Amino acid sequence: MKQAPLRAELRIRLLDESDRPLYQQLYGDDTTMHHVGPPLDATKAARSFVAACRMNRVAPPKGRFWVIEDDRAGLALGLIGLHWDAPASAELGVILPPERQGQGIATAAIRCLLPTAFEKLGLERLHTWHAADHGLAGGLMASLGFEALKVQTGRAGRCWQLTASQWRTNDGRP
């Protein structure tokens, strides 16, 4: 499923078998995974990739994974995904290599994904977590209208949420 571009040079498309090298490189890289979690070894990254591709075909969805692409150059920039944790709620994640961070790519990719999440997939709530020391992630979420939550789950980091109602209000949607 190809998404309409947010701007002429950016789009997201569902992850497929051709994306195995990108997925394994990102999830296996220490620097890329610094704020995400421990990097995966080759075997775990391969299993995780197969699971991600499988989730893209399951209905009702439990997860969806897209590749963020620069449409002009035909270049894969990173990954964006959703993981359902309740029937109408999913955790949002973006993974970009360090040289792609701070360039507005995550902002554009999330904006591109929001109509799919709230309108096509019927989600009522998106949330995301990031390491407490990841200032870029906090700024990103605030700029997109997510609100910081004070959550007592024992999970380290900061939690942000955006509801479908907030998104529709912020975008002037009915």
Side-chain angles (χ1 to χ4, degrees):
M1 162 173 94
K2 300 275 184 181
Q3 298 294 321
L6 174 68
R7 50 187 199 204
E9 69 274 6
L10 180 81
R11 69 176 176 188
I12 61 173
R13 63 166 177 79
L14 280 174
L15 181 79
D16 64 33
E17 184 59 40
S18 70
D19 302 308
R20 181 184 298 269
L22 170 70
Y23 187 98
Q24 290 182 268
Q25 185 274 322
L26 290 173
Y27 278 97
D29 181 67
D30 287 329
T31 307
T32 300
M33 295 297 289
H34 175 71
H35 291 294
V36 180
L40 302 179
D41 65 33
T43 301
K44 287 181 182 175
R47 279 196 301 250
S48 178
F49 175 76
V50 169
C53 287
R54 187 178 320 115
M55 276 196 237
N56 277 352
R57 297 185 302 269
V58 172
K62 294 181 181 181
R64 289 289 183 264
F65 302 88
W66 295 265
V67 175
I68 305 164
E69 288 185 325
D70 178 329
D71 201 26
R72 291 176 304 174
L75 179 67
L77 304 172
L79 302 169
I80 186 168
L82 298 173
H83 178 70
W84 274 247
D85 52 11
S89 176
E91 183 170 353
L92 166 71
V94 177
I95 186 166
L96 294 169
E99 67 272 12
R100 301 275 185 222
Q101 295 175 11
Q103 299 176 17
I105 295 167
T107 303
I110 292 170
R111 283 190 181 139
C112 194
L113 180 62
L114 292 175
T116 296
F118 291 130
E119 293 176 352
K120 292 181 182 171
L121 297 172
L123 290 168
E124 289 297 322
R125 174 182 180 263
L126 292 179
H127 61 94
T128 188
W129 289 84
H130 66 81
D133 65 345
H134 195 349
L136 284 176
L140 165 66
M141 301 325 297
S143 77
L144 289 165
F146 281 67
E147 64 178 326
L149 299 179
K150 293 186 185 209
V151 181
Q152 302 293 327
T153 64
R155 185 174 178 183
R158 304 269 327 262
C159 182
W160 297 79
Q161 113 174 334
L162 180 67
T163 65
S165 174
Q166 290 167 320
W167 175 71
R168 287 183 186 99
T169 300
N170 291 341
D171 277 354
R173 296 180 186 278

